[in-house]
């Protein structure tokens, strides 16, 4: 009996250049917010008072591990689309990877919508001490708003190539 494994599964057609660029862009979109969080965990002034860092974010303390860990997990998740354009490395069956990618795309759209709502609420802005700090924060997190559209485009390209 012949069983198809990830090693014997047929390779999809090569990814178009635009899809490769979009996948790499996703990984780069996560960098500014990660650096901002690491700066916050390192004690660099990012607009929060020492009291807010201590009481709300538990920095210094366990909050440092959480914030740095969140940055690492976010960047690792941002590398997932590179699997969709890779011709060499296939850790999952192509159909399984497509299902995972479509699920990730849907979740990213919902998270992006939720983050816009949270960013526009009054409470989320009251902890920042200045308009400049809010502007820097917005510039660090703004690239993440492009991720759902880029991920959906890369996923669509991957699914199309599987057919």
């Amino acid at each position: 009996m012949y069983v198809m494994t990830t090693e014997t599964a047929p390779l999809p057609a090569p990814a178009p250049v635009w899809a490769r660029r979009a996948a790499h862009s996703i990984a780069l979109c996560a960098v500014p917010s990660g650096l901002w969080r690491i700066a916050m965990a390192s004690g660099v002034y990012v607009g929060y008072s020492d009291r807010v860092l201590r009481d709300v974010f538990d920095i210094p303390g366990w909050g440092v591990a959480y914030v740095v860990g969140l940055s690492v997990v976010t960047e690792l998740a941002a590398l997932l689309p590179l699997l969709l354009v890779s011709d060499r490395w296939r850790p999952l069956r192509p159909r399984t990877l497509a299902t995972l990618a479509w699920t990730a795309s849907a979740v990213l759209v919902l998270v992006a919508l939720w983050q816009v709502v949270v960013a526009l609420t009054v409470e989320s802005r009251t902890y920042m001490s200045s308009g400049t700090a809010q502007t820097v924060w917005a510039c660090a997190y703004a690239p993440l708003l492009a991720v759902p559209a880029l991920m959906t485009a890369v996923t669509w390209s991957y699914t199309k190539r599987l057919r």
Side-chain angles (χ1 to χ4, degrees):
M1 179 166 102
Y2 178 74
V3 176
M4 185 181 293
T5 65
T6 56
E7 291 82 20
T8 60
L11 284 173
V17 173
W18 69 264
R20 289 181 186 278
R21 288 182 180 156
H24 284 86
S25 296
I26 293 169
L28 292 175
C29 283
V31 172
S33 61
L35 291 175
W36 185 88
R37 284 190 296 269
I38 289 171
M40 182 174 82
S42 300
V44 174
Y45 179 73
V46 293
Y48 295 123
S49 69
D50 289 338
R51 190 179 122 248
V52 169
L53 286 173
R54 189 177 49 255
D55 296 345
V56 177
F57 297 106
D58 195 24
I59 295 173
W62 283 103
V64 172
Y66 171 75
V67 168
V68 171
L70 181 61
S71 296
V72 170
V73 168
T74 301
E75 192 58 46
L76 288 174
L79 295 174
L80 170 69
L82 295 176
L83 292 175
L84 301 175
V85 297
S86 173
D87 297 330
R88 295 184 198 136
W89 192 61
R90 296 179 300 144
L92 300 170
R93 290 189 173 109
R95 300 271 182 227
T96 304
L97 187 56
T99 302
L100 177 65
W102 278 118
T103 304
S105 293
V107 168
L108 284 168
V109 168
L110 293 174
V111 168
L113 292 173
W114 177 249
Q115 289 305 310
V116 168
V117 169
V118 169
L120 296 176
T121 63
V122 175
E123 182 181 356
S124 68
R125 290 183 276 157
T126 58
Y127 294 128
M128 288 270 180
S129 61
S130 71
T132 304
Q134 288 177 347
T135 302
V136 171
W137 173 84
C139 289
Y141 278 84
L144 291 178
L145 294 175
V147 171
L150 291 169
M151 181 65 183
T152 302
V154 172
T155 303
W156 174 80
S157 171
Y158 180 76
T159 306
K160 184 179 168 188
R161 288 183 294 117
L162 280 179
R163 289 188 202 135

